[in-house]
């Protein structure tokens, strides 16, 4: 559903707000230039795929750290980011 969240920085900040300190936030995200992604963006109204660097920046701006990414297939990435523990904030 991340593709339909308007302002990722605000959305990720809200995820951080409700996540317990030290908690993990994980989600999958498609590569912007993959043919499959372009196909679905044309078919699904309101779907927006940002460059991965923008997603990473939004996570950092929202306060997440220990960002890890792993490929899933030829067009998808799995993100995992940690909300700092209270002693790290």
């Amino acid at each position: 559903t991340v593709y339909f969240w308007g302002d990722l920085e605000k959305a990720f900040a809200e995820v951080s707000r409700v996540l317990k300190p030290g908690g993990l936030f994980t989600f999958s995200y498609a590569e912007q230039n993959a043919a499959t992604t372009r196909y679905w963006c044309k078919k699904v109204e309101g779907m927006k795929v940002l460059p991965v660097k923008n997603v990473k920046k939004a996570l950092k701006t929202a306060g997440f750290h220990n960002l890890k990414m792993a490929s899933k297939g030829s067009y998808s990435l799995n993100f995992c980011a940690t909300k700092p523990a209270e002693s790290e904030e």
Side-chain angles (χ1 to χ4, degrees):
T1 64
V2 174
Y3 311 114
F4 303 96
W5 299 357
D7 183 332
L8 279 187
E9 289 180 9
K10 286 182 181 179
F12 289 162
E14 179 63 11
V15 170
S16 179
R17 185 187 71 76
V18 300
L19 192 64
K20 72 178 184 175
L24 297 176
F25 174 41
T26 63
F27 62 96
S28 292
Y29 196 79
E31 292 279 1
Q32 183 184 33
N33 293 322
T36 304
T37 304
R38 290 192 308 270
Y39 170 83
W40 284 112
C41 284
K42 289 177 185 174
K43 295 284 184 189
V44 180
E45 185 178 334
M47 183 173 176
K48 184 176 180 184
V49 181
L50 298 172
V52 170
K53 68 179 183 175
N54 293 33
V55 177
K56 289 168 54 176
K57 180 180 180 267
L59 285 165
K60 289 179 184 178
T61 300
F64 286 98
H65 66 161
N66 294 334
L67 175 63
K68 296 178 184 168
M69 297 183 312
S71 279
K72 180 182 176 189
S74 62
Y75 69 91
S76 182
L77 294 171
N78 290 323
F79 280 88
C80 182
T82 306
K83 177 180 177 175
E86 289 178 0
S87 61
E88 298 176 275
E89 292 180 352

